[in-house]
Every structure is written in structure tokens, then in C-alpha cells.
Amino acid sequence: MTVDPCWLGTQRLPEVTIHASGALAQTIRAELRQTRRIRNDVEVALCTLGRVRETPLWQEVEAALPDEGLGAEGFVVARRGNNLVVAAEAGRGLLYGYFYVLRYFEWMTSEFVVVERPAIAIRMLDHWDNLVPHPRMGAVERGYSGGSIFFRDGRVVADLTRVRGYARLLASIGINAVAINNVNVHAAETRLITEHLPDVSRLAAVFREYGIALYLSVNFAAPMELSDLDTADPLDPRVIRWWSAAVSRVHDVVPDLGGFVVKADSENRPGPHVYDRTHADGANLLARALAPYGGTVFWRCFVYDSHQDWRDRSTDRARAAYDHFIPLDGRFEDNVVLQVKHGPLDFQAREPVSPLLGELQETRFALELQVTQEYTGQQKDLCYLGPWWREILQFDTTGAGGATVADRTKAIVAVSNVGDDANWTGHKLAQSNLYAYGRLAWDPSADPVSLLHEWAAATFAMDDRTRSELVAIMADSWRTYERYTAPLGVGFMVSPGSHYGPSVNGYEYSAWGTYHFADRNGVGVDRTVATGSGFTGQYPEPLAGRYESVYTCPEELLLFFHHVPYDHVLQNGRTVLQQIYDTHFQGYDEVETMLTRWKAIADRFEPVTRENISTRFEGQLANAREWRDQVNTYFYRLSGIPDSERRTIYH
């Protein structure tokens, strides 16, 4: 099967001279051998700073160096006349500098000097790939792009060609860490540590060629499953010894292992997964085992009561992560990173930024996003998430002109959207989300529309007019998706299990939580301190006060924070109910327009791409219609209030 080159398929360079040695310099040389050539008078040189004076622009490079240095990943690019030089302190910076030039070379028409350094140190992708396919989850949990690229038939794949292609893609957008197996680690998955370490070493070697550290997801109860221990108590000396020995065995074969990813007693499952004491004890046990090797524990803070009684309005899933982890702030080892979902629920198309991202003060934490589109269309519906992620990264955690999420986070992590489909992501256009994630992880201030132009120009051989039209179709697709799905931040109106398509009451009476509380009079969840769950009080002032008041709460989050009557008037003069009607009709109409605009340019794309995108757009239109009609009918039947525009609602 021919593998899609994604955004590395159309780029070209002239001849390049390399003044560097080492493993990553060899990787760059290998890259150059497979890069298409362009006839050009510009002479390009890549060098380490120790050899920069072998290049004609050494003075420009040295003058541009920041006082604090470039670090391991930073680089300088300088052009004067027909000379272009990329310089870095070490191999990873040089590799990123090479991909920078590859991305922009044909636009580098003037003289300039650029200094690039990543804003966030660890930029990771987590794979929810199962070593042994799970009866319910399959080969990849929440995977919408085929099977695993790492595992097949209970072991690591023999041919790592595809893995190497993936490592190239990740390095080209600045990703420097990958967790290869599902964080929802089940008993069979623990064999990854004990039975397949030589194969894990093979995977690590491929990623090492591109400066990417490999992480493993582990089950905290592994000692009970793989030995005669009767406990997973993190303070039990036997458990401590077991984990120390396990880490030693892993490092014997993967000496540069990045560390472990652990799902922290998620969903309060009973049995040995429930830690006897605190999350800090469990995380610190693993951290101390990894510390001699420089490893890090990413402790995933996805915790809540999954056995709720929908009759009980005092339990609020949104509160759970804060309530668990704020009391533990400062009790974690230095090599523990708390991995915090961007919102307090579960990767919805719209929810507020998690208060943990502003309130953790003495513990390192990572922002967690989701590239795989679990609740945002599953790579069937077009939903470009770059604008949403930038909003999150630039969110002011103080509400008063203070530090943003990007300023505060020490790492950024996302669940990958890649599988073994020929085009990697199922929907060809979903490649844009992988690209945008990597670029925003490197530079959280990057403009998402500019990133779309970058991705489209590098991915498709097309003229500027076609590229601009494609970008126009894609740029606002996240907001379109939001309009035709759950309204005003309410969330979770999805089909249980699959999480695709509408089911307004699908989770409303489940043990997983209650999310909209719609009745004949109104809709929304009261999370205020005054009369509700008190969730608004987890934010600092003035954010808490802003969310607490129905009049100052951002309207896109109104129903997340407040239960309001249907006739509550928004700032645009419409009632809440009319806003629900209007946005759902608007969302459907926008998908219809997207499809029409796509058909106008589809013939300019090669047949496989044209068929893939056209089929997905047709399916998205059907999905948008179901959302529109089911949501509008549901609220009409509850309220008895008609649409003021007299559009068709199925009574």
C-alpha cells in the first residue's frame, strides 16, 4: 500500500551542505536524499554552532544568538544574498531547522534572520493503541483511522517502515515525545513490559533517529497481575521493589526511555486500581523508580465518579479533578507531571478551560488536548480544531491580564488521530489537525488560519486560488460543528458508547453524569456557588464572578454554568430557545455550503483525495441534518415554543 506523504510530499530544496556530525545529522542527510530537488542559485548550509564559522553568514548567526542560548532544540536561520544558513547548538535543533527551511524555502525570497525556540519543552502525542485488540475498543481506542501502526497480532509490527514515516511527520512539526500504548492499560497489555521489550527497543530506535523520546503507558496494578503480590499499595516495600526492578529492565533495552504515562484511578473503578492512599503516593513511587534514569511520570488527572445517581444533583463531574488534586499540590516529586484535560469534562466541542490549569502552583502540569475527534466528528465530519486549541492556549488563567495556559504549562500532550489507513487520519483533511497541533505546541501564538495555509500548500499541488478556497472551507469548521451539535456549552448529547451522532438524552440518566437538565421550563446545569454545585468557585476572581453571574458568563458557555428559562434573553436579543433553533439551522446550512464549495474545486484534486473528501462531506451533511432535527424537535416538544422564523421542526 502506498502511504500518504501528507505535508512532506510537495516540498523541495536546492543542494544543501551539512557541517555537523552525529546521529541526527545522519538523519538529515537521509532526509535530503529523499527530498525533491529544485534548481535555485541559493546555497544552503546547515551547521552546529561549533562549526558556524565554516559558513559565509557566521557573523549574522552569532549576532542573532540570544543571551540565554538556543538550547537543545532552538535554531537560527539567516539569509543574505544567495546564502542561507541554519545553525543550532545540537542535533535536534538542526533537525528542526532543516524542517523549517523545507517548509518555507520557496517563500524565502528576501534577506532575514530568524531565531526559533519552542515555547513548551515537552510536546507529546499519546496513542491509545492496544497491543492486544480489545473486544470493545478494538486495536485503537477512539481511533477513527484504521488499526495500530505499532501493533498487530499481539506484538510489535515486523516492518517499521510506516513507523519511520510517522516519526518523520512528527519531527517535521516539532513533536519530541510519543507514548505508544493505550493509557487505559488492561491486564493483557502489561505484557508489553515483560514480553516485548526487544520489540519496544526497535520502536524506540526509530523514534530516536528523529529526536523523539518514547514513553510507555503502564497499569499501576501490574505487580498484582504479573507476580504473586497481593497488593498495589504504593507504600508497600514489595511494590516499591517490584517497580524499581521493572524500570531497570526497561532501561536495559531502552536507555533513553522518556518515562511512563499513567491513568490516575480514572472513573473510580473498584478493586486494585483504586489506590489505597493518595495519587501523590502512586505517582511518587513511579517517579522515584524512574529518577535515576532521568525519566518522567505523566499522571493523567482524569478522575470522577462513574457511578453517579442522576437523581442526585450535588455530584458534579466537572468538580472532580480539582477536588482530587488541589489538596495534593506540592506533594509530588519534581519528575511528576500532572496531565490535565483542557476542560473539566471530556474533550467536548466547547467547555471552559479547566481550573486546574490556573490553580496548580507547586506541581508541574501538562495541558492535554485531543487530536483524535472523539466528540468532534470522528474524522467523518470536518472539524479543524486549531482555532479552539489556540483559544485554550491563550486563555488568561487569572481573568485579569495574567499568565495564559501556554505561559504556565510545562508540557503539552494530545491523543493522536493516526492509524494505519493509507492517508493516516481517515479523513484526508483531518491531517490538518495533526499538523496544527504540532505547530501550536511549538508556538502557541501561531495563527490557526495561517497554519492551514501552510498545511494546504505543503500537502496539495494546487494554485493559490484553490488553496485559499480550501482554507476558507476548513477554517471555521469547528464553530460550524459546534453550531449543529450540543448548544451553548451544554455538552454530551451524543450517542452513548460511539459518541458519534445525536442522542439528546443519551447520557442524561446514566451513571456517567447528568449534562443538560432540560425540562419544560429551561435547560442547563447550575454550577454556581449560590445555588448550584459550586464549580464556579474553583476559579480565581474575577473569573469566578464572571462565570457565577448569568449576565456576565460568556454566552457560548451559558448552559455549562447555568440553568436558565427558555425565554432568557441573550446579548444578541434572542431568547435561549431561539438561539438553539437558529444555530442548528445555521450549522446545517453551513455544512451544505461547505459541500457546495468543495464540489466547485474537487476536480482539481487527484481522484483518491477527491473521493475521500466528497464521501466524508456527504456523510457530514446527513449527520448535521440529524443533529439539527433531533435537537430542535426535542426542545420544541419540551417547551411548546415555536421557531420565530417558522422553519420546519418535526413536531
Side-chain angles (χ1 to χ4, degrees):
M1 177 186 292
T2 302
V3 176
D4 193 321
C6 299
W7 52 86
L8 295 180
T10 67
Q11 298 162 320
R12 304 177 297 172
L13 284 176
E15 293 298 322
V16 177
T17 303
I18 301 177
H19 304 274
S21 59
L24 294 183
Q26 291 301 108
T27 296
I28 297 170
R29 290 186 173 93
E31 284 292 317
L32 286 168
R33 286 193 290 271
Q34 57 185 316
T35 301
R36 296 195 306 162
R37 291 288 180 251
I38 183 175
R39 296 188 63 180
N40 194 289
D41 293 334
V42 177
E43 297 181 10
V44 180
L46 277 67
C47 66
T48 54
L49 290 181
R51 297 180 62 180
V52 69
R53 296 199 175 198
E54 297 176 26
T55 72
L57 301 184
W58 65 270
Q59 290 177 309
E60 288 85 347
V61 170
E62 291 186 350
L65 294 176
D67 292 340
E68 63 274 23
L70 293 173
E73 297 184 317
F75 58 88
V76 176
V77 183
R79 177 169 180 177
R80 292 288 182 269
N82 284 342
N83 290 298
L84 191 152
V85 172
V86 181
E89 289 187 7
R92 273 197 291 169
L94 205 59
L95 182 66
Y96 296 141
Y98 161 77
F99 281 118
Y100 180 95
V101 173
L102 185 65
R103 183 186 309 131
Y104 294 126
F105 179 76
E106 295 191 53
W107 297 344
M108 293 176 175
T109 57
S110 60
E111 297 187 348
F112 66 93
V113 178
V114 170
V115 178
E116 284 273 329
R117 288 178 298 176
I120 299 172
I122 300 177
R123 306 171 301 280
M124 183 189 295
L125 279 166
D126 283 357
H127 281 260
W128 289 356
D129 293 24
N130 295 312
L131 176 65
V132 178
H134 189 271
R136 180 173 56 84
M137 300 171 185
V140 182
E141 183 179 355
R142 303 304 177 191
Y144 312 108
S145 312
S148 172
I149 65 170
F150 303 127
F151 310 123
R152 189 168 298 115
D153 300 325
R155 60 184 311 111
V156 173
V157 295
D159 183 356
L160 298 183
T161 302
R162 179 117 192 196
V163 176
R164 181 167 283 101
Y166 183 52
R168 293 183 65 226
L169 290 174
L170 298 191
S172 75
I173 53 175
I175 300 299
N176 62 6
V178 167
I180 60 171
N181 62 314
N182 194 353
V183 72
N184 297 310
V185 184
H186 294 268
E189 297 292 307
T190 58
R191 288 186 293 151
L192 186 66
I193 296 175
T194 58
E195 296 182 12
H196 296 288
L197 287 179
D199 281 339
V200 171
S201 177
R202 292 170 51 234
L203 289 173
V206 172
F207 284 114
R208 189 179 300 123
E209 292 178 24
Y210 288 89
I212 299 169
L214 184 142
Y215 286 71
L216 295 174
S217 295
V218 298
N219 185 328
F220 195 84
M224 295 183 68
E225 295 165 352
L226 298 177
S227 70
D228 58 358
L229 291 180
D230 57 0
T231 180
D233 182 350
L235 299 186
D236 188 303
R238 297 171 298 164
V239 175
I240 295 170
R241 287 194 297 270
W242 189 95
W243 276 109
S244 294
V247 170
S248 178
R249 289 196 302 273
V250 174
H251 276 272
D252 283 344
V253 293
V254 187
D256 55 351
L257 181 80
F260 292 151
V261 179
V262 185
K263 191 171 184 178
D265 187 22
S266 169
E267 300 150 22
N268 290 340
R269 292 172 294 189
H273 294 82
V274 177
Y275 308 132
D276 295 339
R277 292 175 173 83
T278 70
H279 293 287
D281 292 331
N284 289 341
L285 161 62
L286 296 177
R288 292 175 189 131
L290 286 165
Y293 310 96
T296 300
V297 176
F298 280 78
W299 193 261
R300 194 167 182 257
C301 302
F302 184 39
V303 292
Y304 64 96
D305 181 359
S306 65
H307 304 282
Q308 297 179 33
D309 185 339
W310 59 268
R311 303 164 186 82
D312 176 13
R313 293 201 179 196
S314 65
T315 302
D316 184 1
R317 175 172 171 175
R319 291 188 55 106
Y322 183 102
D323 287 343
H324 275 78
F325 286 97
I326 285 297
L328 301 176
D329 192 14
R331 292 181 56 188
F332 293 91
E333 296 287 333
D334 289 343
N335 60 329
V336 172
V337 176
L338 297 182
Q339 188 167 315
V340 181
K341 284 190 177 185
H342 70 76
L345 288 182
D346 191 9
F347 300 130
Q348 301 302 291
R350 175 77 73 173
E351 54 182 298
V353 168
S354 169
L356 272 182
L357 296 171
E359 292 300 280
L360 285 168
Q361 301 298 323
E362 300 179 54
T363 306
R364 297 170 67 199
F365 64 86
L367 167 68
E368 183 181 35
L369 304 172
Q370 192 177 46
V371 185
T372 193
Q373 294 171 228
E374 179 180 355
Y375 294 98
T376 52
Q378 300 188 359
Q379 281 116 261
K380 300 173 186 176
D381 295 17
L382 174 65
C383 186
Y384 174 57
L385 293 165
W388 182 208
W389 294 333
R390 191 180 186 280
E391 280 191 21
I392 295 163
L393 286 160
Q394 297 303 319
F395 178 78
D396 176 2
T397 60
T398 70
T404 66
V405 171
D407 293 333
R408 300 197 74 239
T409 190
K410 303 303 181 185
I412 183 167
V413 182
V415 185
S416 177
N417 66 344
V418 162
D420 67 2
D421 277 0
N423 69 10
W424 298 95
T425 57
H427 196 316
K428 172 71 175 178
L429 299 185
Q431 292 175 2
S432 62
N433 282 328
L434 181 60
Y435 184 89
Y437 167 70
R439 299 284 289 111
L440 284 165
W442 180 280
D443 178 10
S445 67
D447 173 49
V449 177
S450 296
L451 296 181
L452 261 187
H453 277 284
E454 278 183 20
W455 168 79
T459 302
F460 302 108
M462 59 186 173
D463 57 84
D464 290 347
R465 183 176 178 183
T466 302
R467 183 182 77 245
S468 294
E469 180 64 15
L470 180 64
V471 168
I473 292 169
M474 298 178 65
D476 205 39
S477 55
W478 158 58
R479 293 181 181 88
T480 292
Y481 186 87
E482 180 186 13
R483 288 180 189 113
Y484 67 75
T485 53
L488 298 172
V490 77
F492 272 101
M493 290 183 171
V494 292
S495 298
S498 73
H499 296 169
Y500 183 79
S503 180
V504 178
N505 278 337
Y507 279 105
E508 197 62 12
Y509 304 101
S510 75
W512 303 94
T514 302
Y515 303 102
H516 63 69
F517 288 111
D519 56 29
R520 62 178 295 186
N521 300 310
V523 59
V525 183
D526 185 354
R527 292 190 163 101
T528 66
V529 171
T531 57
S533 73
F535 173 70
T536 58
Q538 293 184 344
Y539 292 90
E541 290 293 354
L543 281 175
R546 191 175 303 157
Y547 292 143
E548 178 81 5
S549 170
V550 71
Y551 300 107
T552 59
C553 180
E555 290 187 340
E556 66 271 17
L557 293 170
L558 180 65
L559 301 186
F560 186 95
F561 285 107
H562 296 276
H563 186 89
V564 298
Y566 293 118
D567 61 0
H568 174 79
V569 179
L570 303 174
Q571 292 176 9
N572 60 15
R574 298 181 223 173
T575 65
V576 163
L577 184 61
Q578 192 58 47
Q579 179 78 0
I580 291 173
Y581 291 155
D582 288 350
T583 53
H584 283 78
F585 281 112
Q586 180 185 354
Y588 174 81
D589 291 345
E590 287 175 356
V591 176
E592 199 168 38
T593 299
M594 287 159 61
L595 177 56
T596 299
R597 295 177 75 174
W598 164 251
K599 288 179 177 178
I601 63 172
D603 286 344
R604 304 173 201 173
F605 293 79
E606 56 93 19
V608 172
T609 296
R610 181 168 63 246
E611 176 65 19
N612 173 267
I613 297 173
S614 297
T615 300
R616 304 279 169 151
F617 268 136
E618 295 285 356
Q620 182 169 4
L621 187 64
N623 189 41
R625 182 187 300 114
E626 285 300 306
W627 274 101
R628 179 198 67 188
D629 292 345
Q630 289 196 32
V631 171
N632 284 347
T633 295
Y634 177 86
F635 283 105
Y636 173 78
R637 288 178 177 177
L638 268 186
S639 68
I641 302 171
D643 170 33
S644 65
E645 300 297 317
R646 299 184 179 181
R647 293 164 292 199
T648 300
I649 293 179
Y650 296 89
H651 301 173

